[in-house]
Amino acid sequence: MKRTMKLLPQISFSILVALSLKPRHGYEIMQQVEQDSEGRIKLVPGALYSAIKNLLDADLIEEVAQSDERRRYYELSDKGRRQLNAELEYFEATLSLAKQRLAPGAQA
Amino acid sequence: MNKPDKRIALYTHLFSLYPKAYREQFGDQILQTTLDMLDGVTDRKERQRLWVRLALDMQMNIGRQHLKNAGEYMKNINQRLLASALWGIIAALAWLAFPHVRAIGTTWMNTAGGLRVIGLLLFVLAFIAIPSVMAVLALFDRPKTIYQKLLN
């Protein structure tokens, strides 16, 4: 992961993960985030759309047209997909490092 | 659609406290998502807990959005002056109140406790000052059509 790439806040990261499969509207994103986190993250509308605004401003997600006129759908942009992949690489590397250090007999 | 719950109507009217740009961009979606959440909860106690979460969320988010908008407001010289004047008034009030509040604090509690009360009061005052003023200004500019359309 490039050093210049900043890690996203947890809620923003969770929203990107929720959008990784298909476009979703706000309530679907909330449900998917809660499901992905096994109930640990329960979003409320204010926090959700505050994060969505930040993601839109950063061009990590885009609004897409769907048949449901009352709800707006969002999907990952190309930049968002790259950001998500980069963060996953970082977390995988960190996880591997942590497991090595916590292994029995690991030396400093 | 059934006649809207009074709490939903109140929640909708409180949307006028958000900054205008944010309200226009996300207001209808926030309301729709809230209605979706409420539709998904049938248990009475769960709905009550949900309303508490929604109220706290709205309070925090309104303040957060106004503070985020502060940079935009500062570009306008008149609003810069207004914000400076407001902070000056708050600081002056805090300075004037300090001896009295400190006296009360030292009477009721030890010195450390009194200062904690003062700190908390100043924090609360600062936290609500900006959004409160912006909310008053926003009340004069309230789009009714978006939410009326959703509720009808």
Side-chain angles (χ1 to χ4, degrees):
Chain A
M1 182 177 175
K2 291 181 183 178
R3 285 184 187 176
T4 53
M5 191 176 288
K6 291 183 181 177
L7 290 176
L8 292 171
Q10 185 180 27
I11 289 178
S12 297
F13 175 78
S14 300
I15 292 172
L16 292 189
V17 173
L19 292 174
S20 58
L21 279 177
K22 64 173 186 172
R24 299 181 193 274
H25 60 71
Y27 186 54
E28 279 185 338
I29 294 173
M30 291 171 70
Q31 289 180 307
Q32 190 63 47
V33 167
E34 185 173 345
Q35 184 181 331
D36 290 346
S37 65
E38 296 176 351
R40 293 186 183 89
I41 302 175
K42 291 185 179 180
L43 293 175
V44 279
L48 169 68
Y49 283 96
S50 186
I52 285 177
K53 184 180 190 309
N54 292 335
L55 291 170
L56 284 170
D57 291 344
D59 295 324
L60 297 178
I61 63 173
E62 296 168 332
E63 199 175 310
V64 289
Q66 297 282 328
S67 56
D68 186 351
E69 291 179 352
R70 299 185 69 163
R71 296 175 178 83
R72 275 185 239 158
Y73 284 72
Y74 303 94
E75 67 174 3
L76 281 184
S77 64
D78 291 337
K79 184 180 176 185
R81 202 164 290 277
R82 287 197 299 273
Q83 173 80 24
L84 185 57
N85 283 325
E87 295 219 1
L88 289 173
E89 283 177 20
Y90 168 78
F91 288 132
E92 281 174 354
T94 305
L95 180 62
S96 176
L97 183 62
K99 283 182 175 178
Q100 285 175 21
R101 292 181 177 175
L102 290 173
Q107 295 179 354
Chain B
M1 192 179 218
N2 294 331
K3 192 174 177 181
D5 189 323
K6 283 183 182 176
R7 285 174 294 186
I8 295 175
L10 175 61
Y11 183 81
T12 307
H13 285 302
L14 288 174
F15 268 68
S16 61
L17 298 178
Y18 277 106
K20 184 182 176 186
Y22 185 83
R23 200 169 60 220
E24 289 179 351
Q25 186 176 10
F26 293 111
D28 55 345
Q29 292 304 299
I30 292 175
L31 181 58
Q32 184 62 59
T33 303
T34 303
L35 293 174
D36 288 340
M37 289 178 77
L38 290 167
D39 282 345
V41 176
T42 51
D43 180 71
R44 185 167 159 267
K45 284 190 176 177
E46 279 295 323
R47 281 178 76 91
Q48 287 173 348
R49 276 194 281 267
L50 179 56
W51 273 114
V52 170
R53 286 175 60 208
L54 290 171
L56 290 172
D57 171 57
M58 176 173 263
Q59 179 190 7
M60 294 295 294
N61 201 35
I62 286 172
R64 182 166 51 216
Q65 294 307 323
H66 278 295
L67 285 171
K68 278 186 179 179
N69 262 15
E72 288 298 315
Y73 283 113
M74 289 299 130
K75 289 179 184 176
N76 182 306
I77 183 67
N78 290 332
Q79 285 159 336
R80 229 173 7 231
L81 288 173
L82 175 63
S84 300
L86 280 171
W87 281 115
I89 291 170
I90 291 169
L93 287 173
W95 182 75
L96 285 171
F98 184 80
H100 304 289
V101 177
R102 191 167 187 275
I104 292 169
T106 51
T107 302
W108 289 350
M109 295 170 270
N110 58 33
T111 304
L115 288 175
R116 277 199 291 271
V117 169
I118 295 164
L120 180 62
L121 285 173
L122 286 175
F123 173 77
V124 170
L125 197 60
F127 185 74
I128 65 173
I130 291 179
S132 297
V133 170
M134 297 308 169
V136 170
L137 295 174
L139 282 172
F140 295 101
D141 175 29
R142 183 172 50 195
K144 296 179 184 174
T145 54
I146 299 171
Y147 314 116
Q148 290 296 331
K149 193 165 61 174
L150 275 174
L151 293 176
N152 289 333

